[in-house]
Amino acid sequence: MTKNRADYPCVLPGDPVCLDDAGYVQEVLDCLAAAAAVAHDYGDPEKYVLAHLPFQVAADTLGRIRCDMPPARRGAVFLMALPAFEPEALWEVLGVLRRARDADADAAEAYDLVRDYAMRCFLPPRGIDEVVADLERILAVLSLDIPAVRTVATTLLLDGERDDAFRCARDELFAAWRAAGLSGLPGTGAPS
């Protein structure tokens, strides 16, 4: 499969419960986007390290993924093409959150905002370590680049036969996602 520079094919688990953490992470990123926009309006565009746009693109990407997921089907996989700038924005934001977690002075405002928002606005309360870990897990799913991804994506894109090669590749994806920390995934040999 030839990858167009503008599209980033992602294979996602067919059960959105695996990406439940994307909802609260999206809210955190929306909050950062709003704060960065206000900081920009008041002449401090680097207060949250990045301008508001990467935060907003990252939040919108998580929202679109969550909205575009088909009805849950355990053992299924779902193909989604993302414009390349969307995963790039998620990686940029992850970099800011890592800097904040690691006490980088330039990311102190981001740390304070994320810490306060995640601790006070969610049940159970979340820490910045959890926000970083959950975004890392989401990105591990979106950026997984193993041969199994190409096999599954090609089969789904071409509406090909779900043969043994497809099922084996799908099972490799589930194993890789479990290794990345996603829970609720079926074991090997799940029905297609």
Side-chain angles (χ1 to χ4, degrees):
M1 177 169 119
T2 304
K3 184 161 69 171
N4 181 334
R5 286 184 151 284
D7 292 328
Y8 189 90
C10 298
V11 179
L12 304 166
D15 189 349
V17 75
C18 298
L19 296 173
D20 277 348
D21 293 330
Y24 95 87
V25 173
Q26 177 188 353
E27 286 187 44
V28 169
L29 301 185
D30 274 327
C31 182
L32 278 165
V38 170
H40 180 270
D41 289 348
Y42 282 92
D44 195 359
E46 296 178 4
K47 184 173 184 173
Y48 294 93
V49 182
L50 295 174
H52 76 282
L53 191 56
F55 291 117
Q56 193 62 62
V57 168
D60 291 348
T61 300
L62 293 179
R64 187 166 67 83
I65 289 168
R66 293 175 60 234
C67 287
D68 288 352
M69 291 291 290
R73 285 190 32 225
R74 187 165 170 81
V77 290
F78 175 61
L79 178 65
M80 176 181 279
L82 298 175
F85 69 89
E86 290 180 343
E88 288 170 9
L90 285 164
W91 282 109
E92 283 183 83
V93 168
L94 177 60
V96 171
L97 293 175
R98 284 175 173 164
R99 288 174 63 183
R101 176 200 61 198
D102 297 340
D104 182 323
D106 290 336
E109 292 292 334
Y111 174 81
D112 290 341
L113 180 67
V114 171
R115 182 198 60 212
D116 291 347
Y117 190 79
M119 289 300 288
R120 294 187 174 125
C121 296
F122 301 110
L123 287 174
R126 311 284 168 94
I128 192 159
D129 290 335
E130 288 176 89
V131 176
V132 170
D134 290 335
L135 185 53
E136 287 173 339
R137 210 172 357 268
I138 293 163
L139 276 163
V141 171
L142 295 178
S143 63
L144 187 61
D145 188 20
I146 60 175
V149 171
R150 289 181 287 285
T151 300
V152 169
T154 300
T155 302
L156 294 174
L157 187 62
L158 300 176
D159 201 21
E161 183 180 343
R162 298 340 191 243
D163 58 9
D164 288 339
F166 172 82
R167 284 187 287 281
C168 181
R170 186 203 51 212
D171 291 344
E172 287 177 35
L173 284 176
F174 287 136
W177 289 330
R178 278 191 300 276
L182 287 184
S183 58
L185 294 168
T188 57
S192 57

